[in-house]
């Protein structure tokens, strides 16, 4: 399947329509395809991908709530291409990549620690770091890198790292995150394993050296771990590293896709600027309208039924989150971008046991970064942008280019 995905990405401009939900991730406009997917059966089998496809909001919700649907297959808790490496060691301890009772305390710890970060402090730090690194309005390569590196620098600052360490941490995180893609090459896997080891070592040193009475995220995690009785130091380090990898692509995509929304919808920037909560609402609606995480997977570990269809162990389900976000049963007028959408229903950050504890933090960082960017670029800048999509099987991340 990896070769099929890579081939589909390379010739996407020649295609009139996606051939599968995986192809759709990097298609110029996948949403007509997703609309047709929603009109099909609640659960359908894709022979080419060898996956069950769930796209309707009710079916996606049912899968998220079903205890027989796990985040990893029982026979492969760590992806085969990561097994035995430093990357695999960290992956195997990530809360969001594991199921079972032993991960309840880590989930509680991380959720409480992230929720305790004051919104005003996050916004202030994010704006300061974004302003310090703001790229030239005409340097599209710098803009695309800035989308990824800036959220990582902000999170590094929140964790408690010194400012001069941000660039090094961002580089390692990029390399490590590349391991998680099914498109990863042997060289990327090797570099990612070295980066994982370096990140683990740096995070372990920070965890040991951070004073107990400190407002950093590392200190908050340590405090909440003590309260919850989570005593596994290696797992704590792994999940602190995991906060960086989860920020790397998802938050960058949230920022980048918000810029694409502003470029695509001419009236939107004016609405955002006139609204007292405009940037936060822009990011939240973008997470529904054109989400950075387009799909995720679940693996059936015991016989169960989804949408009236019997599924056997070892079945795999692709949850098309981007389609579920546009299900009119979940969000009326789904094709419209509504800055103040009533009762907005977003599947992008998952639901249930594996819902992302950093959703609020990611949205706060993205909103602050966007506000800073658009305070520093000339009027009309966004209308001149061009972009393509970075190759990926599930992450929708724009790469900005010169329109000349």
């Amino acid at each position: 399947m990896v070769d099929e995905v890579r081939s589909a990405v390379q010739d996407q401009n020649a295609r009139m329509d996606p051939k599968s939900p995986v192809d759709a991730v990097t298609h110029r406009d996948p949403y007509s395809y997703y609309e047709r997917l929603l009109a099909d059966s609640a659960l359908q089998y894709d022979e080419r991908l060898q996956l069950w496809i769930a796209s309707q909001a009710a079916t996606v919700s049912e899968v998220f709530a079903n205890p027989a649907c796990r985040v990893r297959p029982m026979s492969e808790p760590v992806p085969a291409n990561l097994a035995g490496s430093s990357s695999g060691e960290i992956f195997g301890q990530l809360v969001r990549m594991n199921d079972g009772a032993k991960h309840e305390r880590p989930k509680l710890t991380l959720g409480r620690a992230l929720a305790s970060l004051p919104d005003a402090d996050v916004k202030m730090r994010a704006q300061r770091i974004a302003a310090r690194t703001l790229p030239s309005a005409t340097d599209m390569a710098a803009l695309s890198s800035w989308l990824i590196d800036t959220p990582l620098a902000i999170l590094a600052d929140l964790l408690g790292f010194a400012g001069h360490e941000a660039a090094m941490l961002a580089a390692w995180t990029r390399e490590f995150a590349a391991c998680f893609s099914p498109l990863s090459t042997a060289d990327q896997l090797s570099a990612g394993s070295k980066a994982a080891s370096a990140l683990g070592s740096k995070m372990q040193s920070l965890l040991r050296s951070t004073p107990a009475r400190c407002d950093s995220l590392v200190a908050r995690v340590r405090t909440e771990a003590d309260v919850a009785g989570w005593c596994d130091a290696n797992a704590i380090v792994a999940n602190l590293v995991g906060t960086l990898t989860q920020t790397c692509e998802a938050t960058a995509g949230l920022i980048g896709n918000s810029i694409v929304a502003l470029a695509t919808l001419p009236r939107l920037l004016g609405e955002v600027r006139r609204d007292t909560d405009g940037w936060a609402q822009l990011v939240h609606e973008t997470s529904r309208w054109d989400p950075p995480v387009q799909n995720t997977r679940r693996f059936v570990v015991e016989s169960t039924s989804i949408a009236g269809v019997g599924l056997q162990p070892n079945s795999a389900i692709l949850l098309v989150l981007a389609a579920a976000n546009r299900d009119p049963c979940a969000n009326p007028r789904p094709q419209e971008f509504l800055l103040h959408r009533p009762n907005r229903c977003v599947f992008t950050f998952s639901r249930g046991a594996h819902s992302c504890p950093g959703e609020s933090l990611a949205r706060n960082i993205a909103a602050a970064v966007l506000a800073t960017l658009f305070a520093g670029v000339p009027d009309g800048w966004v209308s001149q942008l061009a972009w393509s999509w970075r190759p990926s099987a599930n992450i929708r991340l724009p790469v900005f280019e010169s329109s000349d």
Side-chain angles (χ1 to χ4, degrees), residues 261-262 265-274 279 282 374 379-380 382:
L262 292 169
L265 305 169
R267 48 90 183 168
L268 187 56
L269 182 56
E271 290 183 26
V272 169
R273 283 177 163 159
R274 287 190 297 271
W279 294 108
L282 168 70
F374 278 86
D379 291 345
V382 71

Side-chain angles (χ1 to χ4, degrees), residues 164-251:
H164 69 270
E165 297 176 290
M168 174 181 61
L169 291 167
W172 286 339
T173 304
R174 279 179 182 247
E175 291 177 339
F176 181 35
C179 285
F180 296 167
S181 171
L183 305 178
S184 299
T185 65
D187 287 345
Q188 287 175 317
L189 291 170
S190 176
S193 185
K194 293 176 183 177
S197 180
L199 283 168
S201 178
K202 283 297 277 187
M203 200 68 74
Q204 187 175 64
S205 296
L206 181 64
L207 185 65
R208 288 174 175 171
S209 63
T210 299
R213 295 177 180 271
C214 175
D215 65 353
S216 73
L217 180 55
V218 162
R220 292 170 190 270
V221 167
R222 189 166 63 185
T223 297
E224 294 296 343
D226 289 342
V227 172
W230 184 26
C231 305
D232 188 337
N234 289 334
I236 292 172
V237 166
N239 280 279
L240 286 169
V241 171
T243 63
L244 288 168
T245 58
Q246 289 161 29
T247 297
C248 182
E249 295 178 325
T251 309

Side-chain angles (χ1 to χ4, degrees), residues 321-343:
L321 308 178
N325 285 341
R326 294 211 182 191
D327 188 333
C329 295
N331 289 295
R333 300 160 61 190
Q335 309 304 333
E336 297 181 45
F337 193 109
L338 301 179
L339 202 60
H340 286 276
R341 174 174 292 277
N343 303 313

Side-chain angles (χ1 to χ4, degrees), residues 118-185:
D119 289 349
D121 186 46
V122 170
K123 180 179 178 180
M124 180 270 294
R125 293 186 188 210
Q127 290 179 329
R128 184 187 71 238
I129 291 170
R132 190 172 66 221
T133 59
L134 202 64
S136 164
T138 60
D139 190 340
M140 295 298 101
L143 173 64
S144 296
S145 294
W146 185 80
L147 294 181
I148 296 174
D149 292 345
T150 302
L152 289 172
I154 294 164
L155 185 57
D157 183 66
L158 291 168
L159 283 164
F161 286 105
H164 69 270
E165 297 176 290
M168 174 181 61
L169 291 167
W172 286 339
T173 304
R174 279 179 182 247
E175 291 177 339
F176 181 35
C179 285
F180 296 167
S181 171
L183 305 178
S184 299
T185 65

